[in-house]
Amino acid sequence: MEPNLDALLVLRSCAEHYPPTVNQANLLAGAGLRVGVIDLSFAGSVNALTPDIQRWRVHPMWNSKLEPPYPVWRRWTNWLRFRQTCRRVIRTMRPGVVIGYDTLGSLFVPPALGRYRTIYHFHELSGPEAGEGFGPRRARLQAARNSRHADLVVFPDTQRARIFQTRVGLPTPPWIVMNCPRQMPTVPPSPLRQRLGETGAAGGPLVCYLGSIGADQGLVEAARSLRHWPAEARLVLIGGAADSMKNLILAAAAEVNAAGRLVFLGPYPHTEALALAAGADLGLALIQPNNESWTYSAGAINKRFEYMALGLPQVTNDGPGVREIIEANGCGLCVDPRNPATIGAAIRQLLNSREMRQQMSVAARTRHLETYNYETQFAGVLDWIHNQCRTSRAEGRGLPLP
């Protein structure tokens, strides 16, 4: 019997919150494969998948910034619904390759040689945590066991991949696919200045933060660093934030008499957020080394590569592997993300030198087009998937792929 899908992607979240997953699905479909996605819905999200991709949105995603934790009965009900959906779709659609994302993805699609090929695409390191409960511990250990039997394991960062391989005893090193945006031939026109003009905040240099606003992104430190910026410069934040986090950032800026220089624009669909960020003079990616994953995050931080695609010079953290991507390629400056004075000095240096920013902008765009785009990063995995599907069809399950 011919399979109805070539590749099935399984994500225990809303795909639009994970640009690499959206990129993979769309690239696979663009290569002529029949693609399906199992994920969760999220209020207000705009579908970013191409129309030919089949989609099963099992239940609403928990909004951690606005909603209290779900009761246990609801979490278990959602878990069972998701497991049943995965089993039903795999049984009826008979995909040739299944991609599970992170710990939960691997739990719902265990390796099944003879039924499908398995890829586990991990973003975060999943090591033991203090006070870890039975459920999370069991999930983490099961993910480790499953990964040893997966056909392919993928990580966005080299250091994370090495640590994971050693920790779980993978027989071969994971493949590396950095979390880059799709290739952007030209920088989109930006409505940022116009949008800020409507609020009376358009003047002066603009420093942009793009992404989820939380405790690990260095935004409290960035707010405190405002005392060292040129007096007319503003910090624009594009992304969702809990009120508690927003208040922390505002309080930090108020400590240096700069709360009026913060602009919270809120969350936008990904393409709109990128267009807004393109109107800034500088981007921020100050990842705090608060845990193992954040310490080893050179290739995993989307915004680092999104700024490059937009031609934005950036001030970013100095973690392992970051300088090789940013400073060695002339795309920005790396600083201690915990030191507001160092952050502020780097921002002031760049804002005061148009020539330096222009040089970094050209370098960033060049490196994006050559290397740091998802087409280039995912090419090897896409070829592997294509060959697996070609083989499965040639074995009597349908016509060979073109």
Side-chain angles (χ1 to χ4, degrees):
M1 181 185 298
E2 182 180 354
N4 296 309
L5 285 179
D6 293 306
L8 175 66
L9 287 61
V10 177
L11 177 69
R12 190 89 163 89
S13 184
C14 173
E16 280 72 22
H17 288 221
Y18 288 81
T21 300
V22 171
N23 292 341
Q24 289 185 26
N26 289 340
L27 284 170
L28 289 167
L33 299 179
R34 297 166 299 181
V35 178
V37 173
I38 300 175
D39 71 334
L40 307 183
S41 62
F42 190 84
S45 66
V46 178
N47 183 24
L49 302 179
T50 57
D52 54 340
I53 294 175
Q54 297 188 63
R55 193 168 192 175
W56 294 265
R57 311 194 79 169
V58 182
H59 60 76
M61 173 183 162
W62 173 51
N63 188 334
S64 61
K65 297 189 187 310
L66 300 178
E67 296 180 298
Y70 291 159
V72 172
W73 68 265
R74 184 172 179 182
R75 280 180 273 165
W76 272 110
T77 299
N78 287 342
W79 179 278
L80 291 172
R81 288 175 61 190
F82 200 88
R83 184 179 68 171
Q84 290 168 353
T85 300
C86 290
R87 290 181 173 182
R88 173 174 55 81
V89 172
I90 289 173
R91 183 179 66 252
T92 59
M93 305 303 288
R94 304 181 67 247
V97 175
V98 179
I99 307 175
Y101 294 93
D102 291 314
T103 297
L104 296 182
S106 71
L107 296 181
F108 289 105
V109 288
L113 186 63
R115 293 181 61 199
Y116 52 79
R117 297 292 188 180
T118 310
I119 298 176
Y120 288 158
H121 190 129
F122 293 104
H123 291 98
E124 310 293 336
L125 281 168
S126 182
E129 297 183 4
E132 184 177 61
F134 173 76
R137 179 177 181 273
R138 180 178 179 183
R140 176 177 53 79
L141 295 176
Q142 187 62 53
R145 285 192 290 269
N146 285 352
S147 68
R148 297 186 197 112
H149 304 287
D151 296 285
L152 207 63
V153 175
V154 178
F155 266 89
D157 179 77
T158 301
Q159 294 293 335
R160 289 185 187 183
R162 289 172 180 167
I163 292 169
F164 188 85
Q165 182 184 10
T166 301
R167 179 173 292 158
V168 308
L170 289 185
T172 58
W175 289 27
I176 306 301
V177 178
M178 295 187 190
N179 285 345
C180 301
R182 293 285 300 272
Q183 195 173 72
M184 197 179 295
T186 59
V187 177
S190 179
L192 180 62
R193 296 277 176 178
Q194 178 182 349
R195 192 72 52 85
L196 294 180
E198 296 168 357
T199 64
L206 300 177
V207 178
C208 171
Y209 170 83
L210 173 64
S212 180
I213 297 172
D216 300 306
Q217 283 78 37
L219 295 171
V220 170
E221 291 77 9
R224 291 197 176 105
S225 80
L226 277 160
R227 75 161 77 206
H228 305 285
W229 298 20
E232 69 278 12
R234 297 177 185 271
L235 173 57
V236 179
L237 299 103
I238 306 169
D243 287 341
S244 58
M245 193 67 229
K246 184 176 179 179
N247 290 336
L248 281 176
I249 297 168
L250 285 167
E255 292 174 11
V256 296
N257 299 315
R261 294 160 62 191
L262 291 180
V263 181
F264 288 87
L265 290 183
Y268 284 83
H270 193 235
T271 54
E272 293 182 38
L274 288 175
L276 283 167
D281 299 288
L282 190 65
L284 288 185
L286 301 168
I287 308 306
Q288 305 289 295
N290 293 338
N291 60 37
E292 194 175 43
S293 280
W294 292 127
T295 298
Y296 303 105
S297 60
I301 303 304
N302 297 11
K303 64 185 64 62
R304 209 189 308 283
F305 301 106
E306 289 166 348
Y307 296 149
M308 294 172 72
L310 296 171
L312 285 183
Q314 63 184 279
V315 173
T316 190
N317 61 293
D318 58 357
V322 180
R323 292 184 186 274
E324 290 80 354
I325 295 173
I326 301 302
E327 288 195 342
N329 288 305
C331 301
L333 299 178
C334 296
V335 300
D336 179 353
R338 296 160 295 192
N339 188 327
T342 303
I343 295 167
I347 292 171
R348 184 178 66 249
Q349 179 185 1
L350 291 178
L351 291 181
N352 286 340
S353 176
R354 179 182 295 272
E355 181 181 2
M356 184 179 291
R357 296 201 310 274
Q358 287 177 337
Q359 291 173 350
M360 288 181 172
S361 178
V362 171
R365 283 285 300 159
T366 299
R367 296 302 291 136
H368 162 70
L369 293 171
E370 292 176 349
T371 304
Y372 297 120
N373 61 78
Y374 215 82
E375 284 84 348
T376 299
Q377 294 292 319
F378 191 59
V381 178
L382 191 151
D383 287 345
W384 186 91
I385 294 172
H386 208 279
N387 288 334
Q388 294 300 320
C389 294
R390 184 192 305 273
T391 299
S392 68
R393 291 194 188 187
E395 290 173 347
R397 298 201 297 164
L399 297 174
L401 287 164

